[in-house]
Amino acid sequence: MGVRYSAKYLKKFIQDEEYKNIYSQVKTAHELLESKTGPGSDFLGWTTLPRDYDKEEFARIKEAAAKIRQDSDVLLVAGIGGSYLGARAVIEACKGLMHNELDGGLKILFCGNSISPSYLQDIMDQCRGKRFSINVISKSGTTTETALAFRVLRQLLIEEMGEEEASKRIYATTDRAKGTLKELADAEGWPTFVVPDDVGGRYSVLTAVGLLPIACAGCDIDALMQGAADAMEQFSVLSPENDAYKYAAARNILYRKGKAVELTACFEPAFAMMNEWYKQLFGESEGKDQRGLMPTSCVFSTDLHSMGQFIQDGGRVLFETMVDVKKPARDLFIKSLPSNFDGLNFLAEQNMSVVNRKAMEGTILAHNDGGVPVGIIEVDSLDEYNIGNLIYFYWRTCAISGYLLGINPFDQPGVESYKKNMFALMGKPGYEDRKAELEAKLN
Ligand code: PA5
């Protein structure tokens, strides 16, 4: 049935009139998006991607994944931000957090997403003596975290498997034509996959950026794309009944009433990386010009034992968006015990998913009573089809929400600042003046 948005628990906080009042702005946002005349319109490739994706490359992705699954014990996926989060989010949502341990086949390890030497050493220890391959993913081809990890891991691959074999085990996902990584890949003859020019990093999960690692994990990428294609049909229509637009409207109405934080929560741990992906999508899209909701996330009921107090009782700065997964990937029947030694027989003779659902319902009502507006995103299950559907639903919401906010949802000028400082402090040529200035501040 696909993703739905329910505003049932927002009724105390948003009147029908307010949805009607903001609708003319939703219409303008929709028209900006459709006519490609809004800010950031060079980056709208995602709007029709589930239909117009490169079918020839899609077939090559499947072939490469089949080869990697057959000739490798470990796939290292090196990338950061938009070149990392989506792939991991989809794999963990669909395959579970323990897929590497439970599947018994190819292990997928993510790296190049920090500058931690400890983490990289651990990754290297997981590869020594094993058959491994590397998928290096970088649109720019120059991102420090990814490039540094790749430099080290490529060397390890050569040491372990020899130069010739190593060159058959590196897959580069990068710009179609330019950049250091593209030049290197062409010179070395590595298979390359494309990050399209008109798709930004945080919208790239359904390009080769996400699809190759996702296919390597054994996920059904046809179903993923079908879910996204169906969502494209459903959520690209201008209508008050469009759930992505309702969600975008609710976010902005609440923001304008002083709710500065959106907390996305889910009662499935496998959704944890989807939460991270959502945070990049919305944080990087909307957090600019000193504006924007701060996206944050929890996995419940785990985090009810840490963040629950604040949500229930702390500063009234947030609203909650609950991702309600209707059917868990696996269930467990709780048996009644004659001794009832733990007093838990009141939970028994039913599936554990029922208990989880009651916990969710109880949480929604408690938070609502505590003054927290709660919107609900309903998802049938965390399989490939529904995750594809959800990804497109989030994309549409984010674009419309960003235009409602009055910013460019498709750029990210702010992320350059830390990079410039890091380059200067490390003595990169060309950053001499900034280096002196920063060192003076540090001292
Ligand atoms: O959304 C973005 O643009 C960023 O998160 C990038 O994806 C991230 O910085 C990685 O960039 P690149 O793919 O160029 O290595």
Side-chain angles (χ1 to χ4, degrees):
M1 200 159 69
V3 169
R4 286 90 61 202
Y5 182 72
S6 165
K8 184 174 160 191
Y9 298 103
L10 293 175
K11 285 205 170 100
K12 274 200 290 186
F13 307 91
I14 304 178
Q15 308 310 312
D16 286 349
E17 209 55 33
E18 294 176 275
Y19 289 111
K20 284 188 193 132
N21 290 343
I22 205 171
Y23 191 69
S24 62
Q25 293 167 44
V26 171
K27 185 167 178 281
T28 306
H30 171 87
E31 283 161 359
L32 282 177
L33 197 59
E34 290 300 306
S35 62
K36 298 189 182 341
T37 52
S41 58
D42 288 346
F43 292 97
L44 297 182
W46 60 270
T47 53
T48 55
L49 184 70
R51 183 190 63 209
D52 299 337
Y53 65 90
D54 182 339
K55 311 294 183 300
E56 182 273 330
E57 183 179 67
F58 194 78
R60 282 202 303 119
I61 287 170
K62 286 184 176 173
E63 278 167 29
K67 175 180 177 297
I68 293 167
R69 282 173 69 78
Q70 184 258 317
D71 74 6
S72 305
D73 304 312
V74 177
L75 172 68
L76 298 178
V77 181
I80 192 167
S83 293
Y84 153 60
L85 288 162
R88 186 164 168 193
V90 173
I91 292 169
E92 292 190 3
C94 297
K95 291 270 167 187
L97 293 179
M98 298 181 200
H99 63 95
N100 278 336
E101 291 74 26
L102 292 176
D103 277 2
L106 178 71
K107 291 192 194 322
I108 314 274
L109 301 179
F110 290 90
C111 56
N113 51 30
S114 78
I115 317 174
S116 162
S118 317
Y119 185 83
L120 195 52
Q121 288 282 14
D122 289 351
I123 289 280
M124 291 167 79
D125 285 348
Q126 296 250 30
C127 293
R128 290 194 178 92
K130 307 241 176 67
R131 304 174 305 154
F132 70 101
S133 299
I134 305 175
N135 179 201
V136 53
I137 309 173
S138 179
K139 186 175 186 182
S140 63
T142 54
T143 300
T144 310
E145 289 89 339
T146 303
L148 188 54
F150 179 59
R151 161 195 278 238
V152 172
L153 295 168
R154 181 187 170 206
Q155 197 53 42
L156 179 69
L157 187 62
I158 292 170
E159 283 163 19
E160 291 275 312
M161 315 209 81
E163 191 111 27
E164 198 186 328
E165 181 61 20
S167 73
K168 294 182 193 148
R169 290 173 169 273
I170 297 175
Y171 301 80
T173 306
T174 188
D175 189 88
R176 184 183 306 280
K178 58 181 190 301
T180 319
L181 183 56
K182 174 66 180 160
E183 283 164 26
L184 185 63
D186 286 348
E188 298 288 336
W190 303 331
T192 58
F193 298 91
V194 172
V195 191
D197 286 340
D198 58 356
V199 178
R202 57 191 175 274
Y203 279 82
S204 67
V205 55
L206 300 184
T207 71
V209 169
L211 293 175
L212 180 55
I214 292 168
C216 286
C219 295
D220 180 349
I221 59 172
D222 289 299
L224 185 71
M225 295 306 276
Q226 189 58 52
D230 289 351
M232 182 182 95
E233 295 299 328
Q234 190 181 349
F235 299 122
S236 303
V237 176
L238 178 64
S239 156
E241 303 311 314
N242 180 331
D243 277 4
Y245 290 9
K246 268 198 244 171
Y247 178 28
R251 296 178 87 251
N252 277 270
I253 293 168
L254 292 166
Y255 176 65
R256 292 172 196 179
K257 290 181 171 188
K259 300 294 181 193
V261 178
E262 178 183 36
L263 172 76
T264 286
C266 182
F267 275 73
E268 280 298 335
F271 202 78
M273 282 306 294
M274 281 299 293
N275 278 344
E276 298 305 311
W277 175 84
Y278 139 87
K279 284 193 273 192
Q280 187 204 6
L281 180 64
F282 283 89
E284 210 168 72
S285 297
E286 294 190 319
K288 52 197 66 155
D289 303 342
Q290 317 290 302
R291 273 180 270 175
L293 281 163
M294 180 174 172
T296 184
S297 67
C298 282
V299 171
F300 289 160
S301 64
T302 315
D303 297 334
L304 289 172
H305 296 256
S306 53
M307 290 297 290
Q309 173 62 36
F310 185 95
I311 300 165
Q312 188 68 44
D313 237 2
R316 300 297 72 190
V317 293
L318 60 82
F319 68 93
E320 204 166 40
T321 301
M322 191 70 76
V323 178
D324 172 5
V325 180
K326 297 290 178 192
K327 190 171 181 297
R330 305 177 76 178
D331 215 331
L332 189 150
F333 188 75
I334 308 168
K335 292 184 193 139
S336 183
L337 294 180
S339 69
N340 194 22
F341 73 94
D342 50 9
L344 291 181
N345 269 358
F346 75 100
L347 299 177
E349 295 306 309
Q350 61 192 344
N351 284 329
M352 197 157 160
S353 60
V354 176
V355 183
N356 204 24
R357 174 152 299 279
K358 293 298 164 204
M360 184 186 76
E361 290 168 356
T363 302
I364 292 169
L365 295 178
H367 289 176
N368 224 219
D369 287 346
V372 181
V374 185
I376 316 263
I377 295 173
E378 296 177 353
V379 190
D380 291 333
S381 64
L382 298 183
D383 60 10
E384 289 87 340
Y385 177 87
N386 282 287
I387 290 293
N389 209 269
L390 182 60
I391 285 169
Y392 196 91
F393 168 82
Y394 271 130
W395 284 348
R396 267 279 156 178
T397 302
C398 187
I400 295 298
S401 186
Y403 281 156
L404 286 175
L405 190 63
I407 48 85
N408 176 354
F410 304 111
D411 66 359
Q412 55 283 328
V415 297
E416 292 308 312
S417 303
Y418 99 90
K419 292 183 194 169
K420 287 181 189 150
N421 283 357
M422 179 175 76
F423 292 153
L425 290 169
M426 289 304 301
K428 187 171 180 177
Y431 289 79
E432 292 77 6
D433 287 353
R434 188 185 276 255
K435 179 176 169 58
E437 195 188 308
L438 293 175
E439 283 180 346
K441 283 187 189 168
L442 287 173
N443 296 328

